Amino acid sequence: MANVQGQGAYQIQTQQQTLTPLQVLTVRLTELPLNDLRERIEKELEDNPWLQGESGDSTEPSEKTSGTAEDREYTEEGTGTEDDADYTTPSEYADSYDDVDDGIPREPRNYDENTRQREVGDTSESFFDHLVGQLGEFDLNDHELEVMKYLIGSLADDGLLRTPLYQIADELDVYQNIQTSEEELERLLTTVLQQMDPAGVGGRDLRECLTLQVRRNYQGQVRDQLMTLFQRYWDDFAHLRWQRIQRVLKLDDLELDHLRQRIQRLNPRPGGSLGGDHSDNHAITPDFTVETDENGQIHMTLNEGELPRLTISPDAEQELQVPAMTKNERDALNYLKQQVGNGRMFIEAIAQRRETMLKTMQAIIRLQRPFFLEGDETLLRPMRLEDVANLTGQDISTVSRVSNSKYVQTDHGIYALRWFFTSGTLQNGDEVTVRKTLSALREIVEAEDKSHPLSDERLVALLRERGFAVARRTVAKYRTQLGIADSRMRKE
């Protein structure tokens, strides 16, 4: 008897996760940075007559917390482990001058006539538009123009480019369907963006930012002194070791004073030349504030600006108790119940967003505690979305939403949360961030004999002596990222 195969109806049981309306709303609110959240709350207050907001209640300084949905402030203390030990602020930082507390002016200063800095006047254009408007001065094709616009849009509000080029290349591919490479981004960054005004824009860290300004604005002996200071004695400068700087640069007291005056004219925030109020699209309001006290305790505060404290109107609660007799009364009561339900759900979603934000930032602080204490990016530890998710018990997608478009104000500047997520390489068998490898590579090249520059093979050997396990092609890639030419081009 032949087997007959036919079609039939079968029931298959599968599991499918469905988000509740509250979860969907919470996800959407979590994605919003502070300014957008404020607009979203204002819209909800306009649309729902039974939802009311009491302004100013959410920012009372007396409300301090420890991690629940009601919390606004969090303190991270040392754990007593080896990793957390001896992260005190060096005493040299107290040797500040004028209005500078870290050797570098906090606010942008105008350059004098001798600095050849093109002043940015009082204008209504945004910093983004100001830079895009300069693209016409360069010979770029359509593809390069699109890449440049995205590169400009990736700048932090201070004008620095803290997003790694490999990440920008990935974002262009995924979100813009534009194919590019780190090499092309490096070329456009150094030959186009970093040549724009104001000087220093596009620097990948403060060191590069100030170096770009020195190269453009100074000449002669002053330029040589500043370049030597930033390239060879940056650590001394960062810690304000002025006596050592005076000794290694062979300066007398008057020359040292003049050098410090030149440094004060440099702008650590070239993106602030146009201010932050000319374009809402590019203004950044930090979502968190992280401060470190003299005892090594890290204090984190969730910045809620002037967000109102949301409540349901007492009138709504009273009307819900009134029985509905007629059809119109029942329709009105059903509408009231729907609006009150929506209002309560919105309030709950705001509370869940707050809890999620706090948990995520607390985890980042815990994982990157040395950086928050010192501000040295080489102290960053390799950290992935999974690491924060495991520490907080949240989904990776939730951590990603919190980290996207959120910023934190620290003692060392403003950083995008996604900046703290870094890949790693191996040093003595332990995983360290790529930034630490880049820093070591830069130090080796800066200390080389310029008449006999080191080849990539020699750089590999010297890095391995320091414990960094890298291949030759990796060194060439990192050298390109740092804007370091090959040995033939470095020979003097």
Side-chain angles (χ1 to χ4, degrees):
M1 186 174 181
N3 293 330
V4 179
Q5 294 182 343
Q7 294 181 338
Y10 300 91
Q11 286 186 340
I12 300 177
Q13 184 176 7
T14 61
Q15 290 184 339
Q16 183 176 0
Q17 184 178 12
T18 303
L19 296 179
T20 66
L22 174 59
Q23 291 174 322
V24 172
L25 179 59
T26 301
V27 166
R28 291 175 178 174
L29 294 180
T30 302
E31 291 175 335
L32 299 178
L34 181 59
N35 289 335
D36 293 342
L37 177 64
R38 183 182 298 112
E39 294 179 2
R40 178 67 176 83
I41 291 177
E42 291 175 354
K43 183 179 184 301
E44 194 70 19
L45 288 171
E46 292 177 359
D47 294 343
N48 192 334
W50 306 111
L51 185 65
Q52 62 183 22
E54 300 174 8
S55 61
D57 286 354
S58 64
T59 58
E60 291 181 2
S62 60
E63 293 199 40
K64 298 183 179 180
T65 62
S66 57
T68 66
E70 298 293 330
D71 294 344
R72 285 164 177 76
E73 185 171 302
Y74 161 82
T75 298
E76 170 74 24
E77 300 184 8
T79 60
T81 64
E82 181 179 350
D83 289 340
D84 293 329
D86 298 327
Y87 286 112
T88 56
T89 303
S91 59
E92 289 88 348
Y93 277 102
D95 182 24
S96 59
Y97 59 95
D98 294 338
D99 59 345
V100 184
D101 63 1
D102 62 356
I104 301 165
R106 290 293 187 188
E107 297 299 329
R109 297 173 179 263
N110 292 330
Y111 291 84
D112 58 27
E113 295 179 356
N114 297 325
T115 59
R116 300 188 295 113
Q117 168 71 20
R118 186 169 80 183
E119 295 289 348
V120 182
D122 186 12
T123 175
S124 60
E125 69 175 346
S126 69
F127 183 58
F128 176 84
D129 293 334
H130 174 72
L131 294 177
V132 170
Q134 298 179 53
L135 291 176
E137 302 174 11
F138 300 88
D139 185 17
L140 303 174
N141 57 40
D142 292 341
H143 167 77
E144 291 171 332
L145 283 173
E146 292 302 315
V147 173
M148 276 304 307
K149 290 178 181 178
Y150 194 88
L151 198 61
I152 292 172
S154 299
L155 294 174
D157 65 328
D158 56 6
L160 272 59
L161 183 68
R162 294 191 174 90
T163 305
L165 294 181
Y166 72 84
Q167 181 174 328
I168 294 177
D170 291 342
E171 292 175 357
L172 279 166
D173 183 18
V174 174
Y175 301 117
Q176 304 294 325
N177 196 26
I178 296 177
Q179 302 295 321
T180 185
S181 63
E182 291 184 52
E183 290 73 20
E184 181 180 42
L185 288 172
E186 177 75 28
R187 175 177 61 83
L188 292 175
L189 174 65
T190 57
T191 63
V192 180
L193 182 55
Q194 291 183 350
Q195 305 307 315
M196 292 181 173
D197 288 319
V201 67
R204 281 160 284 192
D205 53 30
L206 184 58
R207 187 182 198 176
E208 186 175 24
C209 171
L210 299 183
T211 300
L212 289 170
Q213 296 176 52
V214 170
R215 286 174 177 168
R216 186 183 304 187
N217 298 320
Y218 291 110
Q219 295 178 344
Q221 185 179 17
V222 172
R223 174 177 175 173
D224 293 340
Q225 290 173 342
L226 289 174
M227 291 296 292
T228 301
L229 174 61
F230 293 156
Q231 292 181 352
R232 299 181 60 184
Y233 305 108
W234 177 261
D235 185 65
D236 292 320
F237 168 65
H239 289 78
L240 303 182
R241 300 179 184 130
W242 293 112
Q243 291 183 352
R244 171 173 164 77
I245 291 171
Q246 182 177 10
R247 184 174 66 255
V248 296
L249 296 182
K250 301 178 181 179
L251 306 174
D252 58 32
D253 292 343
L254 182 60
E255 290 173 329
L256 178 63
D257 185 60
H258 287 167
L259 188 70
R260 289 166 63 157
Q261 291 177 16
R262 300 295 187 190
I263 293 174
Q264 283 188 338
R265 295 191 182 119
L266 300 177
N267 185 354
R269 296 176 57 84
S273 299
L274 285 173
D277 299 327
H278 299 293
S279 174
D280 291 336
N281 292 332
H282 301 282
I284 292 177
T285 301
D287 300 87
F288 303 94
T289 300
V290 175
E291 298 174 316
T292 304
D293 64 24
E294 58 185 9
N295 297 321
Q297 292 184 339
I298 301 176
H299 306 274
M300 183 269 289
T301 304
L302 175 63
N303 179 15
E304 296 191 290
E306 297 181 355
L307 297 181
R309 180 181 295 277
L310 300 177
T311 59
I312 299 298
S313 170
D315 294 339
E317 302 291 352
Q318 294 179 4
E319 292 193 27
L320 286 175
Q321 306 303 320
V322 178
M325 305 300 295
T326 66
K327 181 178 183 303
N328 289 338
E329 290 175 344
R330 288 193 297 271
D331 290 342
L333 182 60
N334 289 334
Y335 174 75
L336 173 60
K337 289 181 179 179
Q338 180 181 6
Q339 292 294 83
V340 170
N342 291 340
R344 288 172 175 166
M345 183 172 66
F346 191 83
I347 293 173
E348 177 61 24
I350 291 290
Q352 290 188 14
R353 176 191 185 273
R354 181 184 299 120
E355 181 178 6
T356 299
M357 295 274 287
L358 284 167
K359 284 184 177 179
T360 302
M361 192 67 234
Q362 288 168 13
I364 293 175
I365 293 173
R366 189 162 297 163
L367 292 170
Q368 302 292 7
R369 187 171 188 271
F371 170 82
F372 285 103
L373 289 172
E374 292 290 329
D376 184 352
E377 67 179 40
T378 63
L379 296 177
L380 285 173
R381 300 166 177 174
M383 185 179 76
R384 302 171 181 83
L385 294 173
E386 294 91 333
D387 300 326
V388 176
N390 292 335
L391 193 57
T392 61
Q394 300 174 147
D395 292 334
I396 294 178
S397 60
T398 300
V399 176
S400 177
R401 290 185 177 95
V402 174
S403 304
N404 188 37
S405 302
K406 306 296 190 310
Y407 292 82
V408 55
Q409 171 76 59
T410 74
D411 295 333
H412 320 291
I414 298 176
Y415 298 89
L417 292 195
R418 63 183 181 182
W419 182 78
F420 294 97
F421 293 88
T422 60
S423 57
T425 59
L426 292 180
Q427 182 186 21
N428 296 325
D430 297 324
E431 193 176 24
V432 297
T433 62
V434 170
R435 292 189 181 98
K436 190 168 185 178
T437 310
L438 293 173
S439 177
L441 176 61
R442 190 191 336 242
E443 290 177 3
I444 292 173
V445 172
E446 289 173 352
E448 71 181 358
D449 181 358
K450 299 305 179 184
S451 61
H452 297 87
L454 301 170
S455 65
D456 285 353
E457 290 83 357
R458 184 57 182 158
L459 292 174
V460 170
L462 292 175
L463 283 171
R464 288 182 176 175
E465 288 180 5
R466 296 192 180 193
F468 294 95
V470 292
R472 181 185 178 281
R473 63 179 180 273
T474 304
V475 168
K477 173 183 176 181
Y478 289 171
R479 181 171 50 73
T480 301
Q481 290 181 8
L482 293 171
I484 299 174
D486 59 29
S487 57
R488 292 182 299 103
M489 300 298 295
R490 299 201 308 273
K491 187 173 183 179
E492 297 179 359

